[in-house]
Amino acid sequence: SQTIHQWPATLVQPVGSPLSLECTVEGTSNPNLYWYRQAAGRGLQLLFYSVGIGQISSEVPQNLSASRPQDRQFILSSKKLLLSDSSFYLCAWGQTGQETQYFGPGTRLLVL
Amino acid sequence: GENVEQHPSTLSVQEGDSAVIKCTYSDSASNYFPWYKQELGKRPQLIIDIRSNVGEKKDQRIAVTLNKTAKHFSLHITETQPEDSAVYFCAASIGGSYIPTFGRGTSLIVHP
């Protein structure tokens, strides 16, 4: 069966520091991968999605970037964090050719 | 692009009552409609989904109905229990895009 992992689970970072969040999927190949952000008590904002290695589409221009160095690995990065980057970051995956998305456990980021 | 409206934003019911959450979508090309349940601090989890070639789908106490003509779909929960308390998100996907548009969420509170 398929499993999605995210780490770290929680992270406290100072303003201006870099960020790297990692997401990996097991038990499938060539998945569609997604990064979402969810502010406290709010909805889901799609940040990036990828349909293959090196293929990244951005939905919202901001100080974040994403990379997919391996088939089942998706990384969310920032060179300099802002206070407004504090949020719950969720990775999701879907089978190629299917619409259903499955979410990872999320990373709770607090920028101070 | 697709636009999904979800109502109500908050729904409070007594244990044992039924709960109904409604979503409308704008693009008639949408053909896949999932519902997610998100408990406090947890990831969204898929609870039921429906495709445009089906008008209704049931899974125990949960059902989803779809009206393609009116472009709306609803989640029905019968015999609600306190553990049904969560935020519920609807979404709509245009065929072949694999990028769902989410509603803003409904906070369901079931009072014992």
Side-chain angles (χ1 to χ4, degrees):
Chain A
S1 64
Q2 299 87 3
T3 310
I4 180 168
H5 302 279
Q6 282 187 250
W7 63 90
T10 59
L11 189 60
V12 180
Q13 290 285 92
V15 170
S17 64
L19 173 74
S20 181
L21 303 181
E22 190 164 343
C23 170
T24 59
V25 181
E26 296 177 354
T28 188
S29 59
N30 196 30
N32 296 328
L33 296 171
Y34 309 83
W35 277 112
Y36 287 88
R37 177 164 69 184
Q38 186 178 35
R42 306 296 292 273
L44 298 161
Q45 179 189 28
L46 179 64
L47 301 174
F48 302 95
Y49 68 94
S50 172
V51 297
I53 296 175
Q55 300 179 61
I56 310 292
S57 296
S58 173
E59 289 293 299
V60 183
Q62 52 204 329
N63 69 320
L64 299 172
S65 62
S67 62
R68 185 170 177 173
Q70 299 181 43
D71 181 42
R72 290 168 289 175
Q73 183 185 32
F74 206 21
I75 297 173
L76 182 68
S77 304
S78 174
K79 291 182 179 178
K80 285 188 177 182
L81 285 169
L82 307 173
L83 286 174
S84 57
D85 290 325
S86 295
S87 197
F88 189 40
Y89 289 85
L90 290 155
C91 181
W93 74 276
Q95 293 273 20
T96 301
Q98 297 186 18
E99 300 94 336
T100 306
Q101 291 187 8
Y102 302 95
F103 287 87
T107 294
R108 200 163 300 280
L109 172 65
L110 179 61
V111 182
L112 299 175
Chain B
E2 176 63 281
N3 182 49
V4 176
E5 299 285 340
Q6 183 172 347
H7 298 280
S9 58
T10 305
L11 180 59
S12 183
V13 301
Q14 289 296 128
E15 183 176 0
D17 288 351
S18 295
V20 180
I21 302 170
K22 299 181 180 179
C23 288
T24 60
Y25 60 99
S26 60
D27 197 324
S28 57
S30 289
N31 61 1
Y32 175 68
F33 308 92
W35 285 90
Y36 290 84
K37 174 184 180 183
Q38 187 178 27
E39 297 177 355
L40 190 62
K42 303 287 184 63
R43 74 183 88 182
Q45 294 205 308
L46 180 72
I47 55 173
I48 195 167
D49 56 10
I50 192 168
R51 298 190 179 275
S52 58
N53 59 345
V54 175
E56 183 177 3
K57 185 176 179 181
K58 289 183 180 180
D59 183 2
Q60 299 182 0
R61 296 187 295 109
I62 292 173
V64 57
T65 57
L66 171 66
N67 183 325
K68 287 189 294 183
T69 303
K71 289 190 279 190
H72 67 72
F73 56 111
S74 299
L75 178 70
H76 305 256
I77 305 175
T78 58
E79 300 173 23
T80 54
Q81 301 168 3
E83 50 265 39
D84 294 329
S85 296
V87 177
Y88 291 80
F89 291 97
C90 66
S93 288
I94 295 173
S97 77
Y98 311 115
I99 306 296
T101 299
F102 284 88
R104 289 174 170 255
T106 295
S107 177
L108 173 64
I109 303 166
V110 181
H111 299 280

